[in-house]
């Protein structure tokens, strides 16, 4: 993984947050459920872009529409597409922008991102708000792991072998950022889904 600490300065973070709020007015955050058990995830989610990632009782899938409103996802804002090209250097656009919101008690278990056909494409992660204690593993669930703090404005590019490695969010460190008045953390995960 390639960590870009402070890739977004304060002004860029505030501008991006305003875009996220506008997107969420159109495509509200909702609580996805885990496949099979139907237990709600602690992370709330929404999406923008042609394809949105969903976790449903029947499994994970990409969909063009919001699961509650049925409306097509809003477009990925131009400044976010610009970040994607600057950070990843690839010529094709992402198709999915997953918007994760972590309250103080939210976490995301160790997993791999494996629902995309574009196996060779990078993934870009953008963090806003409270610091996350992120866990980066390796190619198998048993691989040794390392912990990294992701702070507001940090970006991470997952490319090469690390694209397919296990990762998760162990916890959010409440009160570590003043960007979100309500506290918590937004993460944008940008992915290419279909083969470019
Ligand atoms: C490391 N989200 O939604 S993005 C996810 O902070 C997800 O919300 C996290 O993992 C979040 O699937 C982390 C950063 C990320 C994404 C893909 C990776 C890190 C990764 C793939 C391999 C290794
Ligand atoms: Fe992931």
């Amino acid at each position: 993984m390639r960590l870009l600490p402070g890739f977004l300065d304060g002004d860029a973070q505030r501008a991006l947050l305003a875009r996220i709020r506008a997107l969420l007015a159109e495509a509200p955050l909702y609580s996805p459920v885990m496949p099979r058990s139907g237990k709600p995830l602690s992370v709330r989610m929404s999406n923008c872009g042609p394809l949105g990632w969903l976790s449903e009782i029947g499994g994970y899938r990409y969909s063009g529409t919001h699961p509650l409103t049925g409306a097509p996802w809003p477009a990925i804002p131009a400044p976010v597409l610009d970040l994607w090209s600057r950070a990843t250097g690839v010529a094709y656009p992402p198709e999915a922008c997953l918007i994760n919101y972590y309250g103080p008690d939210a976490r995301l278990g160790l997993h791999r991102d494996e629902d995309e056909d574009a196996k060779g494409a990078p993934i870009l992660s953008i963090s806003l708000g409270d610091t996350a204690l992120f866990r980066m593993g390796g190619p198998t669930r048993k691989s040794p792991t390392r912990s990294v703090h992701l702070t507001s404005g940090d970006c991470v590019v997952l490319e090469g072998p690390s694209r397919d490695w296990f990762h998760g969010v162990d916890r959010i460190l409440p009160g570590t950022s003043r960007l979100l008045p309500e506290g918590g953390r937004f993460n944008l995960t940008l992915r290419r889904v279909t083969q470019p």
Side-chain angles (χ1 to χ4, degrees), residues 98 100 102 111 113 125 134 158 162 165 167 185 187 191:
L98 173 64
N100 288 334
Y102 295 78
H111 67 277
D113 292 13
S125 152
F134 181 76
L158 294 316
S162 74
W165 290 0
H167 59 279
R185 168 178 186 260
N187 179 269
R191 307 187 185 108

Side-chain angles (χ1 to χ4, degrees), residues 9 21 35 53-54 60 64 70 72 91-92 105 107 140 148-149 177 190:
D9 65 18
R21 302 265 196 228
W53 185 83
L54 303 181
Y60 306 130
Y92 47 82
D105 296 318
R107 52 185 297 283
T140 78
V148 187
H149 286 101
S177 161
L190 289 125

Side-chain angles (χ1 to χ4, degrees), residues 1 43 45 53 98-102 108-109 111-113 116 123-127 132 134-137 150 156-159 161-169 172 185-191:
M1 65 191 268
V43 180
M45 297 184 175
W53 185 83
L98 173 64
I99 305 169
N100 288 334
Y101 175 72
Y102 295 78
L108 191 64
H111 67 277
R112 297 196 291 190
D113 292 13
E116 299 76 30
I123 295 176
L124 173 64
S125 152
I126 306 168
S127 294
F134 181 76
R135 186 184 292 269
M136 180 78 208
L150 294 182
V156 186
V157 182
L158 294 316
E159 57 194 358
S162 74
R163 159 68 180 79
D164 302 314
W165 290 0
F166 281 85
H167 59 279
V169 174
I172 301 300
R185 168 178 186 260
F186 280 112
N187 179 269
L188 302 183
T189 306
L190 289 125
R191 307 187 185 108

Side-chain angles (χ1 to χ4, degrees), residues 54-76:
L54 303 181
S55 178
E56 299 176 316
I57 195 141
Y60 306 130
R61 68 183 176 105
Y62 279 95
S63 161
T65 57
H66 191 291
L68 302 185
T69 70
W73 302 108
I76 301 175

